[in-house]
Amino acid sequence: MGAAVTPGLGFGGAVIGGLHQWVDEETALAAVNAAWSLGVRFFDTAPHYGLGLSERRLGAALAGRPRSEYVLCTKVGRVLVPSPESAGRRDESFDVPADHRRVWDFSAAGVRRSLESSVDRLGVDRVDIVLLHDPDDHWEQAIGEAYPALHELRDQGVVGAIGAGMNQWQMLQRFVAETDLDTVMLAGRYTLLEQTALDSMLPMCVRRGVSVLAAGVFNSGLLAVDRPGPGATYDYTTAPPELRERALRIGEVCAAHGVSVPQAAMAFAAAHPAVAQVVVGIRTAEQMRANAELFRRPVPPGLWPDLVAAGLLRADAPVP
């Protein structure tokens, strides 16, 4: 397990920010250390993740590592504002004290303020990639104010690359078509379970030279295990029965080839020519080691035509 994993597996930092469940400091640090020892050099985070906790923990874990040897990605669009009146409660999405509140802000000033705070929490002098985070309901301000601000920061050399990260492909495609982004993070819309971004968005990324960070490749739970139970999640809520049934059928075909569903899910996402990184949320060192082992393990080529034949995978989807 000591050898470096194939380039392309990235560390998703939402989970060490307490996504759905508290993670202690020692566990979070061990998860990042395991990633580093396995050769992972792409680390993704955001102010949204644990109200800044993910950024602080990631920064602490990477402190002392050669800054030129890893890529650090964070996001803008939610500014964190102190909220002492709610500090005694738990945050809605993350198991952390609600001592701050998130304020949507895609203004130029908001972008700069958010980035300055992120750099401070991370304890670094710069970040490599900055993404507009979930601008679904804020297109006008994101395209009119936030994007130009990021473009200027990139021109000034303050950040290396700029992009957008969302759980939908339609607006990401608009960004790719109408701006000069370097990268996009596509969460959950190009997976073994669904390939909705395959027709137009991903080909456009290839044509325009925009790299794709494939996140949510397990669809937030359904593809994380071989046989998802009735409580399995899809897009962070309980999965509809028909999608769970589809995931179970995928699992049966994978099992016939001696392949786990998570292994196939990562390999499939990584195979598209637009995809530069597969970013997986990691809670523990053990989980990091398990995912790294699956990511480097070759998938028998016969799996893919069998999935196509079963009506479980599009015939035109690129495979390894």
Side-chain angles (χ1 to χ4, degrees):
M1 294 299 298
V5 300
T6 304
L9 182 62
F11 184 100
V15 184
I16 63 168
L19 180 64
H20 303 315
Q21 180 184 339
W22 173 251
V23 177
D24 62 60
E25 294 279 347
E26 186 178 359
T27 299
L29 178 62
V32 180
N33 286 340
W36 187 274
S37 70
L38 290 160
V40 173
R41 294 295 182 269
F42 184 96
F43 298 89
D44 174 70
T45 184
H48 172 53
Y49 303 157
L51 297 170
L53 181 62
S54 173
E55 289 184 320
R56 289 193 296 272
R57 285 180 165 177
L58 194 56
L62 292 172
R65 314 279 191 190
R67 183 63 189 88
S68 61
E69 291 186 14
Y70 64 90
V71 175
L72 197 53
C73 173
T74 194
K75 307 178 183 77
V76 295
R78 294 172 175 91
V79 174
L80 302 182
V81 178
S83 180
E85 65 275 11
S86 62
R89 301 198 298 268
R90 306 306 283 178
D91 183 57
E92 290 180 7
S93 303
F94 293 81
D95 189 8
V96 297
D99 54 5
H100 284 70
R101 58 187 175 89
R102 304 168 181 85
V103 177
W104 288 106
D105 192 344
F106 287 94
S107 69
V111 163
R112 293 178 183 278
R113 185 162 66 249
S114 178
L115 182 57
E116 288 172 5
S117 297
S118 289
V119 166
D120 184 53
R121 284 187 291 267
L122 286 160
V124 294
D125 59 351
R126 60 184 167 82
V127 294
D128 303 288
I129 303 172
V130 182
L131 305 177
L132 302 173
H133 198 188
D134 298 334
D136 304 66
D137 300 322
H138 307 273
W139 167 260
E140 294 298 335
Q141 191 178 42
I143 195 74
E145 300 181 44
Y147 165 69
L150 286 183
H151 196 284
E152 184 178 338
L153 289 168
R154 183 181 61 185
D155 286 349
Q156 295 170 347
V158 176
V159 301
I162 61 174
M166 305 180 72
N167 291 288
Q168 58 151 300
W169 63 266
Q170 293 89 339
M171 190 178 286
L172 281 183
Q173 181 171 303
R174 285 194 69 184
F175 275 113
V176 173
E178 299 179 27
T179 70
D180 180 28
L181 297 183
D182 302 294
T183 188
V184 291
M185 176 171 279
L186 177 65
R189 302 288 76 84
Y190 188 69
T191 73
L192 204 52
L193 194 65
E194 57 179 287
Q195 297 94 51
T196 50
L198 185 59
D199 287 323
S200 57
M201 183 205 152
L202 292 176
M204 182 180 290
C205 289
V206 172
R207 288 195 306 272
R208 292 183 62 84
V210 175
S211 64
V212 174
L213 310 171
V217 297
F218 302 143
N219 284 113
S220 88
L222 262 187
L223 299 178
V225 294
D226 290 329
R227 291 192 56 80
T233 54
Y234 166 80
D235 278 3
Y236 313 106
T237 61
T238 302
E242 64 274 14
L243 282 182
R244 178 173 165 258
E245 177 60 30
R246 186 177 180 86
L248 287 168
R249 290 175 61 207
I250 289 171
E252 290 169 0
V253 178
C254 287
H257 288 269
V259 174
S260 76
V261 173
Q263 178 190 356
M266 289 189 286
F268 172 74
H272 197 284
V275 172
Q277 295 281 333
V278 175
V279 182
V280 179
I282 298 297
R283 182 180 302 277
T284 65
E286 293 74 21
Q287 194 179 63
M288 183 68 248
R289 286 189 282 269
N291 280 318
E293 174 61 28
L294 291 176
F295 191 77
R296 70 156 65 87
R297 190 183 300 169
V299 173
L303 170 67
W304 312 111
D306 281 2
L307 285 170
V308 172
L312 296 168
L313 181 65
R314 286 178 50 163
D316 58 342
V319 295

PDB file of all heavy atoms in Angstrom, residues 60-76:
ATOM      1  N   ALA A  60      -4.125  22.326   8.545  1.00  0.00           N
ATOM      2  CA  ALA A  60      -3.272  21.817   9.625  1.00  0.00           C
ATOM      3  C   ALA A  60      -2.592  20.517   9.221  1.00  0.00           C
ATOM      4  O   ALA A  60      -1.405  20.294   9.518  1.00  0.00           O
ATOM      5  CB  ALA A  60      -4.101  21.612  10.883  1.00  0.00           C
ATOM      6  N   ALA A  61      -3.333  19.655   8.529  1.00  0.00           N
ATOM      7  CA  ALA A  61      -2.766  18.361   8.138  1.00  0.00           C
ATOM      8  C   ALA A  61      -1.694  18.506   7.065  1.00  0.00           C
ATOM      9  O   ALA A  61      -0.755  17.700   7.003  1.00  0.00           O
ATOM     10  CB  ALA A  61      -3.876  17.440   7.650  1.00  0.00           C
ATOM     11  N   LEU A  62      -1.836  19.520   6.213  1.00  0.00           N
ATOM     12  CA  LEU A  62      -0.871  19.713   5.130  1.00  0.00           C
ATOM     13  C   LEU A  62       0.286  20.629   5.525  1.00  0.00           C
ATOM     14  O   LEU A  62       1.241  20.776   4.764  1.00  0.00           O
ATOM     15  CB  LEU A  62      -1.577  20.287   3.894  1.00  0.00           C
ATOM     16  CG  LEU A  62      -2.565  19.344   3.198  1.00  0.00           C
ATOM     17  CD1 LEU A  62      -3.335  20.089   2.111  1.00  0.00           C
ATOM     18  CD2 LEU A  62      -1.847  18.130   2.616  1.00  0.00           C
ATOM     19  N   ALA A  63       0.192  21.242   6.683  1.00  0.00           N
ATOM     20  CA  ALA A  63       1.251  22.156   7.130  1.00  0.00           C
ATOM     21  C   ALA A  63       2.585  21.410   7.174  1.00  0.00           C
ATOM     22  O   ALA A  63       2.683  20.291   7.670  1.00  0.00           O
ATOM     23  CB  ALA A  63       0.918  22.710   8.508  1.00  0.00           C
ATOM     24  N   GLY A  64       3.598  22.019   6.606  1.00  0.00           N
ATOM     25  CA  GLY A  64       4.913  21.397   6.581  1.00  0.00           C
ATOM     26  C   GLY A  64       5.168  20.570   5.329  1.00  0.00           C
ATOM     27  O   GLY A  64       6.314  20.216   5.049  1.00  0.00           O
ATOM     28  N   ARG A  65       4.112  20.269   4.584  1.00  0.00           N
ATOM     29  CA  ARG A  65       4.318  19.571   3.310  1.00  0.00           C
ATOM     30  C   ARG A  65       4.836  20.580   2.281  1.00  0.00           C
ATOM     31  O   ARG A  65       4.461  21.764   2.324  1.00  0.00           O
ATOM     32  CB  ARG A  65       3.008  18.974   2.795  1.00  0.00           C
ATOM     33  CG  ARG A  65       2.185  18.227   3.821  1.00  0.00           C
ATOM     34  CD  ARG A  65       2.680  16.827   4.050  1.00  0.00           C
ATOM     35  NE  ARG A  65       1.729  16.051   4.838  1.00  0.00           N
ATOM     36  CZ  ARG A  65       1.989  14.850   5.339  1.00  0.00           C
ATOM     37  NH1 ARG A  65       3.162  14.286   5.130  1.00  0.00           N
ATOM     38  NH2 ARG A  65       1.088  14.196   6.049  1.00  0.00           N
ATOM     39  N   PRO A  66       5.642  20.150   1.339  1.00  0.00           N
ATOM     40  CA  PRO A  66       6.124  21.078   0.304  1.00  0.00           C
ATOM     41  C   PRO A  66       4.951  21.647  -0.488  1.00  0.00           C
ATOM     42  O   PRO A  66       4.196  20.907  -1.117  1.00  0.00           O
ATOM     43  CB  PRO A  66       7.016  20.198  -0.578  1.00  0.00           C
ATOM     44  CG  PRO A  66       7.407  19.045   0.290  1.00  0.00           C
ATOM     45  CD  PRO A  66       6.239  18.811   1.204  1.00  0.00           C
ATOM     46  N   ARG A  67       4.791  22.967  -0.448  1.00  0.00           N
ATOM     47  CA  ARG A  67       3.606  23.593  -1.049  1.00  0.00           C
ATOM     48  C   ARG A  67       3.524  23.358  -2.555  1.00  0.00           C
ATOM     49  O   ARG A  67       2.420  23.300  -3.126  1.00  0.00           O
ATOM     50  CB  ARG A  67       3.610  25.109  -0.746  1.00  0.00           C
ATOM     51  CG  ARG A  67       2.380  25.846  -1.252  1.00  0.00           C
ATOM     52  CD  ARG A  67       1.116  25.342  -0.568  1.00  0.00           C
ATOM     53  NE  ARG A  67      -0.097  25.884  -1.177  1.00  0.00           N
ATOM     54  CZ  ARG A  67      -0.733  25.318  -2.214  1.00  0.00           C
ATOM     55  NH1 ARG A  67      -0.249  24.222  -2.760  1.00  0.00           N
ATOM     56  NH2 ARG A  67      -1.823  25.853  -2.690  1.00  0.00           N
ATOM     57  N   SER A  68       4.638  23.192  -3.193  1.00  0.00           N
ATOM     58  CA  SER A  68       4.630  23.010  -4.649  1.00  0.00           C
ATOM     59  C   SER A  68       4.223  21.594  -5.061  1.00  0.00           C
ATOM     60  O   SER A  68       4.014  21.327  -6.242  1.00  0.00           O
ATOM     61  CB  SER A  68       6.010  23.311  -5.224  1.00  0.00           C
ATOM     62  OG  SER A  68       6.984  22.428  -4.684  1.00  0.00           O
ATOM     63  N   GLU A  69       4.092  20.698  -4.085  1.00  0.00           N
ATOM     64  CA  GLU A  69       3.852  19.293  -4.424  1.00  0.00           C
ATOM     65  C   GLU A  69       2.385  18.886  -4.385  1.00  0.00           C
ATOM     66  O   GLU A  69       2.056  17.733  -4.680  1.00  0.00           O
ATOM     67  CB  GLU A  69       4.659  18.389  -3.486  1.00  0.00           C
ATOM     68  CG  GLU A  69       6.154  18.465  -3.718  1.00  0.00           C
ATOM     69  CD  GLU A  69       6.925  17.458  -2.888  1.00  0.00           C
ATOM     70  OE1 GLU A  69       6.279  16.530  -2.327  1.00  0.00           O
ATOM     71  OE2 GLU A  69       8.151  17.595  -2.790  1.00  0.00           O
ATOM     72  N   TYR A  70       1.490  19.791  -3.999  1.00  0.00           N
ATOM     73  CA  TYR A  70       0.079  19.415  -3.968  1.00  0.00           C
ATOM     74  C   TYR A  70      -0.791  20.535  -4.511  1.00  0.00           C
ATOM     75  O   TYR A  70      -0.384  21.698  -4.579  1.00  0.00           O
ATOM     76  CB  TYR A  70      -0.360  19.007  -2.561  1.00  0.00           C
ATOM     77  CG  TYR A  70      -0.289  20.097  -1.515  1.00  0.00           C
ATOM     78  CD1 TYR A  70      -1.367  20.940  -1.258  1.00  0.00           C
ATOM     79  CD2 TYR A  70       0.873  20.270  -0.750  1.00  0.00           C
ATOM     80  CE1 TYR A  70      -1.299  21.924  -0.289  1.00  0.00           C
ATOM     81  CE2 TYR A  70       0.956  21.251   0.224  1.00  0.00           C
ATOM     82  CZ  TYR A  70      -0.138  22.075   0.452  1.00  0.00           C
ATOM     83  OH  TYR A  70      -0.064  23.057   1.409  1.00  0.00           O
ATOM     84  N   VAL A  71      -1.995  20.156  -4.933  1.00  0.00           N
ATOM     85  CA  VAL A  71      -2.971  21.090  -5.481  1.00  0.00           C
ATOM     86  C   VAL A  71      -4.091  21.270  -4.461  1.00  0.00           C
ATOM     87  O   VAL A  71      -4.687  20.291  -4.003  1.00  0.00           O
ATOM     88  CB  VAL A  71      -3.547  20.569  -6.810  1.00  0.00           C
ATOM     89  CG1 VAL A  71      -4.660  21.485  -7.307  1.00  0.00           C
ATOM     90  CG2 VAL A  71      -2.441  20.459  -7.847  1.00  0.00           C
ATOM     91  N   LEU A  72      -4.374  22.527  -4.128  1.00  0.00           N
ATOM     92  CA  LEU A  72      -5.380  22.857  -3.133  1.00  0.00           C
ATOM     93  C   LEU A  72      -6.529  23.597  -3.812  1.00  0.00           C
ATOM     94  O   LEU A  72      -6.318  24.619  -4.473  1.00  0.00           O
ATOM     95  CB  LEU A  72      -4.741  23.740  -2.048  1.00  0.00           C
ATOM     96  CG  LEU A  72      -5.442  23.895  -0.707  1.00  0.00           C
ATOM     97  CD1 LEU A  72      -5.759  22.558  -0.075  1.00  0.00           C
ATOM     98  CD2 LEU A  72      -4.557  24.729   0.230  1.00  0.00           C
ATOM     99  N   CYS A  73      -7.728  23.056  -3.651  1.00  0.00           N
ATOM    100  CA  CYS A  73      -8.920  23.630  -4.281  1.00  0.00           C
ATOM    101  C   CYS A  73      -9.919  24.024  -3.214  1.00  0.00           C
ATOM    102  O   CYS A  73     -10.251  23.222  -2.335  1.00  0.00           O
ATOM    103  CB  CYS A  73      -9.537  22.582  -5.223  1.00  0.00           C
ATOM    104  SG  CYS A  73     -11.127  23.062  -5.947  1.00  0.00           S
ATOM    105  N   THR A  74     -10.397  25.273  -3.269  1.00  0.00           N
ATOM    106  CA  THR A  74     -11.478  25.686  -2.376  1.00  0.00           C
ATOM    107  C   THR A  74     -12.517  26.461  -3.185  1.00  0.00           C
ATOM    108  O   THR A  74     -12.411  26.562  -4.413  1.00  0.00           O
ATOM    109  CB  THR A  74     -10.969  26.478  -1.161  1.00  0.00           C
ATOM    110  OG1 THR A  74     -12.029  26.567  -0.186  1.00  0.00           O
ATOM    111  CG2 THR A  74     -10.504  27.876  -1.548  1.00  0.00           C
ATOM    112  N   LYS A  75     -13.515  27.013  -2.504  1.00  0.00           N
ATOM    113  CA  LYS A  75     -14.670  27.546  -3.223  1.00  0.00           C
ATOM    114  C   LYS A  75     -15.112  28.871  -2.635  1.00  0.00           C
ATOM    115  O   LYS A  75     -14.782  29.203  -1.487  1.00  0.00           O
ATOM    116  CB  LYS A  75     -15.817  26.518  -3.181  1.00  0.00           C
ATOM    117  CG  LYS A  75     -15.370  25.128  -3.668  1.00  0.00           C
ATOM    118  CD  LYS A  75     -16.479  24.109  -3.595  1.00  0.00           C
ATOM    119  CE  LYS A  75     -15.979  22.735  -4.012  1.00  0.00           C
ATOM    120  NZ  LYS A  75     -15.193  22.089  -2.951  1.00  0.00           N
ATOM    121  N   VAL A  76     -15.891  29.615  -3.435  1.00  0.00           N
ATOM    122  CA  VAL A  76     -16.444  30.896  -3.005  1.00  0.00           C
ATOM    123  C   VAL A  76     -17.936  30.925  -3.358  1.00  0.00           C
ATOM    124  O   VAL A  76     -18.406  30.181  -4.200  1.00  0.00           O
ATOM    125  CB  VAL A  76     -15.716  32.083  -3.677  1.00  0.00           C
ATOM    126  CG1 VAL A  76     -14.263  32.166  -3.236  1.00  0.00           C
ATOM    127  CG2 VAL A  76     -15.806  31.986  -5.206  1.00  0.00           C
TER     128      VAL A  76
END
